Structures are given as structure tokens and as C-alpha cells.
Amino acid sequence: MILAPQMMADNGDRSDGDGDAGLALKTKPKTKRPPLYKVMLLNDDYTPMEFVVLVLERFFGIGHAQATEIMLTVHKKGLAVVGVFPFEIAETKVQQVMDFSRRHQHPLQCTMEKE
């Protein structure tokens, strides 16, 4: 036996017979972009310039010429932003640079702040 839509709807659901019983219209939630963080290198009087260039190339994927320019900015201005990333990536890069610097006995400082 085949039931008509009106008969099927009479199982406890109260509908108006057009088949839309209990249908809630959902709006697609808008996802917010995660906040970004600037990763910065700070100047010191002891870390060799070549080491800073190596760090920029190795951990930030920056080419040699641009890494040299950024290193000079750090040297002259005291700091430079070397990248902007979501929190977890920025935090990882800061930790990688700090660990690498300590292993090589350099006091190079790398920090992050919200953009």
C-alpha cells in the first residue's frame, strides 16, 4: 500500500501538507580569517650578518639577495618584519629561529606580535 503525502505527515509531525514540516532554513555561517602575526628579527651586536642571512633563507624561504636586504634593515633600523603568518605558524617560526640561534651560540632574537 502506498501512502499519500498527507497520510505520511500524520505520524506526529504537524505539517500543512506541502512537505516542508520541520525544515529549518540555515544560513551558511561566515568564517572569519584567523588573526595574523608579524614575525620580526631584532638586531644585536654579536650575531654575524651571514648567520642572519642563513636564518632568513632557511626558515623563511627568502632568496639570498632579499635576505641580505632584510639583514641590513635589521642592522640599521634595529628590527625588521620577516613574514606575516597565522598564530601557529608564526609561533613555530619564532621557536625554530630561537632554537637554531642558541644551538649555534648566537643571541639573535626573533619575536612575534599581532598585526
Side-chain angles (χ1 to χ4, degrees):
M1 177 170 153
I2 300 176
L3 298 176
Q6 292 85 2
M7 295 175 129
M8 289 175 25
D10 201 34
N11 62 358
D13 290 349
R14 299 291 173 219
S15 80
D16 56 7
D18 62 354
D20 289 339
L23 179 64
L25 297 177
K26 292 184 179 179
T27 58
K28 187 175 181 180
K30 291 187 178 184
T31 54
K32 261 175 52 175
R33 288 190 170 272
L36 297 176
Y37 291 78
K38 299 183 286 188
V39 175
M40 299 170 289
L41 287 182
L42 305 172
N43 188 44
D44 64 71
D45 293 332
Y46 303 101
T47 304
M49 292 179 175
E50 298 80 20
F51 184 79
V52 176
V53 171
L54 173 66
V55 164
L56 292 167
E57 292 171 341
R58 182 172 184 164
F59 296 105
F60 297 95
I62 297 172
H64 188 74
Q66 188 179 4
T68 302
E69 286 181 34
I70 294 170
M71 175 274 299
L72 289 172
T73 300
V74 172
H75 181 69
K76 292 175 184 175
K77 295 188 176 184
L79 69 88
V81 174
V82 295
V84 179
F85 308 96
F87 179 80
E88 290 81 9
I89 296 172
E91 184 177 48
T92 299
K93 293 209 179 273
V94 167
Q95 194 60 51
Q96 288 173 330
V97 170
M98 296 296 287
D99 289 346
F100 187 71
S101 297
R102 296 307 159 263
R103 279 197 312 270
H104 289 86
Q105 300 178 345
H106 295 301
L108 181 63
Q109 293 291 307
C110 186
T111 63
M112 61 186 261
E113 69 178 39
K114 199 168 186 177
E115 188 175 49

